Amino acid sequence: MNLRQLAYFRAVVEHGSLAAAADVLRVAQPNLSVAIKQLEEEWGVSLFERAGRGLAVTDTGRALYERAAELLSGASALDQEMRAIGRGFTTRLRVGFTQVSIEIITSMVARIREEGAAVSFSLQQGDPQLLETMVELRQLDFALTHMPVANFGLGVEPLAPMTIILLCREGDDRWPIDGEIGPDALAHVPLILLRRRSGGGIYQRIMEAFAAAGVSCSAVVDCTDISAIYTLVERNVGLGLLPIHAFHAPRPGFSMHPVSLLPAPERLALIYPRGRQQLPAVQRAMDLCRTMLRT
């Protein structure tokens, strides 16, 4: 077994046929067939079954795919890290963040680069559950996520609270300049809500808050990407209802209005491996995030 064989196998699983995988990899189709046959013969297993003109992965093949994807990802990260060292970088920071935290992370990276530190970065966006797992497995040095943090084995620092805002196109004069908007005012407004890829989170809390107020929430779209929410608002699909922190500023052409909805605010959190002595560069990155988001 070698990494090239596993990469060929992964491509066939993801693209459903030898021909499609060969086109993506830019290799001859027989090379893929030989690589997969070698893996099957080496382990005495069947990885695929014929399904019409394509291939259906077997249960054994699916188990291999999950492990191969993890191994190839680790090999890629190792390759990038070694190349970074070869270019003169002495430290590689692995940082996780949620959609809401992107401005903080990018500002932190820019600041460290401005300081002239010989540091490279690997940034991972994900849902809180994924980020907690990656920090626990030491795949990330730290992450910016949301409270509550379910994994009690991690170091956790609550940071700045977030407020719920109504995202509108600039010039939408239906909303008061001062004061907060209550759920009653949003009863018949088409809304676009931020939602995690898995688990509950802010979407669930917003829906529960509307229900508690006895108001129907007209959610026309839920979306995992804040950038897409801006585009949907721009195209007049609806108005965005999403959490922001004090560091967030609306893009040109948009305005934000505070919404009085949740009984307690969402709060960002810094998570990191408990009991691990961090490198100075990691500590510096964490301190910058703390400074920007200190309560």
Side-chain angles (χ1 to χ4, degrees), residues 100-271:
V100 176
S101 313
I102 189 168
E103 293 110 333
I104 304 301
I105 295 299
T106 53
S107 297
M108 176 272 292
V109 171
R111 178 69 178 275
I112 287 182
R113 295 297 301 151
E114 288 170 1
E115 292 174 353
V119 173
S120 64
F121 292 85
S122 176
L123 303 180
Q124 170 73 48
Q125 181 183 310
D127 290 333
Q129 184 178 3
L130 172 63
L131 296 179
E132 289 181 30
T133 299
M134 294 185 72
V135 172
E136 180 184 25
L137 296 176
R138 308 297 173 95
Q139 296 170 349
L140 294 173
D141 295 308
F142 70 91
L144 276 182
T145 183
H146 304 160
M147 294 293 290
V149 175
N151 191 326
F152 296 107
L154 300 177
V156 180
E157 294 182 27
L159 295 175
M162 294 185 288
T163 56
I164 302 297
I165 59 96
L166 189 68
L167 181 69
C168 313
R169 293 187 298 179
E170 200 168 54
D172 188 341
D173 58 2
R174 291 176 292 172
W175 314 105
I177 297 176
D178 299 321
E180 292 185 317
I181 301 168
D184 290 342
L186 302 175
H188 303 291
V189 177
L191 296 173
I192 304 163
L193 274 59
L194 186 67
R195 188 170 195 168
R196 296 179 184 175
R197 291 182 176 85
S198 61
I202 188 63
Y203 176 88
Q204 188 67 31
R205 290 193 66 196
I206 286 175
M207 297 301 287
E208 290 172 353
F210 271 96
V215 176
S216 176
C217 179
S218 302
V220 295
V221 179
D222 62 74
C223 181
T224 61
D225 191 327
I226 290 178
S227 296
I229 293 177
Y230 269 91
T231 301
L232 291 166
V233 172
E234 183 180 34
R235 296 188 176 183
N236 206 30
V237 173
L239 302 183
L241 195 61
L242 64 155
I244 65 162
H245 48 73
F247 208 76
H248 180 83
R251 300 178 186 178
F254 296 87
S255 62
M256 300 186 308
H257 303 271
V259 176
S260 176
L261 189 62
L262 301 182
E266 291 278 299
R267 189 175 289 273
L268 291 173
L270 185 70
I271 60 174

